Amino acid sequence: MTVKQIKIGRNDPCWCGSGKKYKQCHEAFDKKIYSAALEGHTVPSREILKTPEQVEMIKKSAVINVACLDAIAEEIKEGMKLSKINDIVNEVTRSMGGIPAPLNYEGYPYSVCTSVNDQVCHGFPWDDVYLEDGDIVNCDCSTILDGYFSDSSRMFMIGNVSDEARKLVEVTKEAMMKGLDEVKPWGFLGDMAEAVHTHAEANGYSVVREIGGHGIGLEFHEEPWVGYLSNRGEDMLMAPGLMFTIEPMINMGTSQIYTDKENGWEVYTMDGKPSAQWEIQVLVTETGHEVISW
Ligand code: MF3
Ligand code: CO
């Protein structure tokens, strides 16, 4: 990799536009990034680190995203058509001035992903599929407001869910939360990933390898790609301003998956056993982290 030498004088105005002198603003910050890069770590580019102004706009987008998931939580029940969840997302998002980010994203044909039981992710909210007693379903919402992106998902349990499936849902949430606990400035994404996969594997589950989280905010999917199988000290440096999703897909059986050949989107477990996923959007701050969408 190449690291650009910082050619800015210590008494010059900081590059960030704060109006402060560089030495009183981003000098120490840049030095930390530079030395991590020299040690061979992957470090974030300036472009993906969010400014306070951008964070405020992204939070407004997230208000809508959270409202979508809250509305789904209120209404979801046995016998409901999956397309009703799509209707709820459209209704809530449009009434609050936003746009559902999935719609037409790389040709995705709906406003939300609904992934039931052995569906791992990107399930279509079909008009002729009804939620049944015992189903576990992930509803994944993403919103654009004034060009700023938010993204989070939750699991819902319909009626009487088996103890086995309930445990998968709960352990997956715990794994995400344990990952979140590791999000702090000057750590590494691998610290988070290790916490996620260690908890999932300790419970006998497997972690999907091919599909991960992502940077987010100014685009739907930005750098970095966020996996859950790496270990402490690996992957990108978590500098303050880095914003990304933690969204592990945890399978009860094998980690092997396949994608529906007909529609090219819906992902299933190879063994037909259930899969669960929770997703939060998080910002690395100077002192720890802030959850942006949940
Ligand atoms: N919300 C999904 C994610 O977490 C987005 C999948 S792309 C879509 O990244 F087109 F299916 F929405
Ligand atoms: Co996401």
Side-chain angles (χ1 to χ4, degrees):
M1 83 176 303
T2 55
V3 181
K4 245 195 241 144
Q5 277 291 356
I6 300 146
K7 289 260 171 58
I8 187 166
R10 298 190 64 232
N11 288 311
D12 289 344
C14 187
W15 54 261
C16 78
S18 65
K20 288 195 238 170
K21 287 184 178 175
Y22 182 54
K23 67 182 180 191
Q24 280 148 8
C25 197
H26 273 89
E27 186 188 41
F29 183 96
D30 285 346
K31 275 189 176 155
K32 281 188 189 165
I33 296 208
Y34 185 61
S35 62
L38 285 182
E39 284 167 19
H41 292 294
T42 308
V43 299
S45 66
R46 246 177 227 171
E47 293 75 60
I48 64 166
L49 298 178
K50 272 64 187 177
T51 66
E53 294 75 22
Q54 290 169 338
V55 169
E56 285 317 303
M57 298 301 285
I58 297 164
K59 280 185 180 172
K60 287 187 183 152
S61 170
V63 169
I64 303 176
N65 210 57
V66 171
C68 286
L69 284 159
D70 287 348
I72 293 168
E74 284 277 315
E75 295 197 39
I76 198 165
K77 59 171 192 285
E78 185 183 344
M80 185 189 264
K81 275 184 183 183
L82 291 181
S83 58
K84 171 78 178 158
I85 297 169
N86 197 64
D87 295 344
I88 294 169
V89 169
N90 279 327
E91 163 72 32
V92 171
T93 307
R94 307 273 182 201
S95 73
M96 295 176 78
I99 302 167
L103 191 59
N104 301 322
Y105 175 78
E106 292 186 2
Y108 186 81
Y110 296 96
S111 296
V112 63
C113 301
T114 53
S115 304
V116 184
N117 298 333
D118 65 324
Q119 281 186 326
V120 174
C121 64
H122 305 161
F124 285 177
W126 296 103
D127 198 37
D128 57 355
V129 176
Y130 294 80
L131 287 171
E132 292 175 15
D133 185 48
D135 282 346
I136 59 168
V137 54
N138 172 277
C139 296
D140 191 339
C141 294
S142 320
T143 302
I144 317 173
L145 179 69
D146 300 329
Y148 295 90
F149 289 78
S150 52
D151 183 8
S152 53
S153 78
R154 302 181 197 163
M155 292 298 294
F156 298 97
M157 294 187 264
I158 308 301
N160 300 300
V161 169
S162 70
D163 290 345
E164 259 192 317
R166 179 176 299 275
K167 185 179 168 203
L168 176 69
V169 169
E170 285 168 359
V171 167
T172 302
K173 185 170 191 181
E174 289 161 11
M176 177 187 74
M177 296 308 289
K178 283 177 187 287
L180 178 66
D181 279 346
E182 293 295 329
V183 177
K184 40 192 110 154
W186 314 114
F188 297 92
L189 284 175
D191 308 352
M192 175 282 295
E194 182 175 290
V196 170
H197 74 78
T198 300
H199 189 60
E201 286 159 4
N203 282 278
Y205 302 143
S206 66
V207 179
V208 172
R209 191 170 281 279
E210 299 88 338
I211 312 170
H214 48 94
I216 176 161
L218 310 182
E219 304 281 347
F220 194 172
H221 295 122
E222 300 174 5
E223 288 293 313
W225 186 83
V226 179
Y228 309 98
L229 282 147
S230 44
N231 290 301
R232 186 161 287 283
E234 296 175 350
D235 295 346
M236 186 178 277
L237 177 73
M238 291 192 280
L242 188 70
M243 192 185 281
F244 60 93
T245 66
I246 305 179
E247 51 176 312
M249 282 146 259
I250 309 289
N251 295 352
M252 195 182 282
T254 175
S255 66
Q256 306 281 99
I257 55 173
Y258 69 91
T259 304
D260 184 300
K261 279 206 187 68
E262 261 161 51
N263 60 48
W265 278 102
E266 295 181 292
V267 179
Y268 293 82
T269 60
M270 201 72 100
D271 59 7
K273 290 189 180 168
S275 179
Q277 179 183 29
W278 291 79
E279 175 178 17
I280 45 174
Q281 178 174 346
V282 62
L283 170 72
V284 182
T285 66
E286 295 286 347
T287 52
H289 62 252
E290 185 177 354
V291 174
I292 302 294
S293 188
W294 59 91

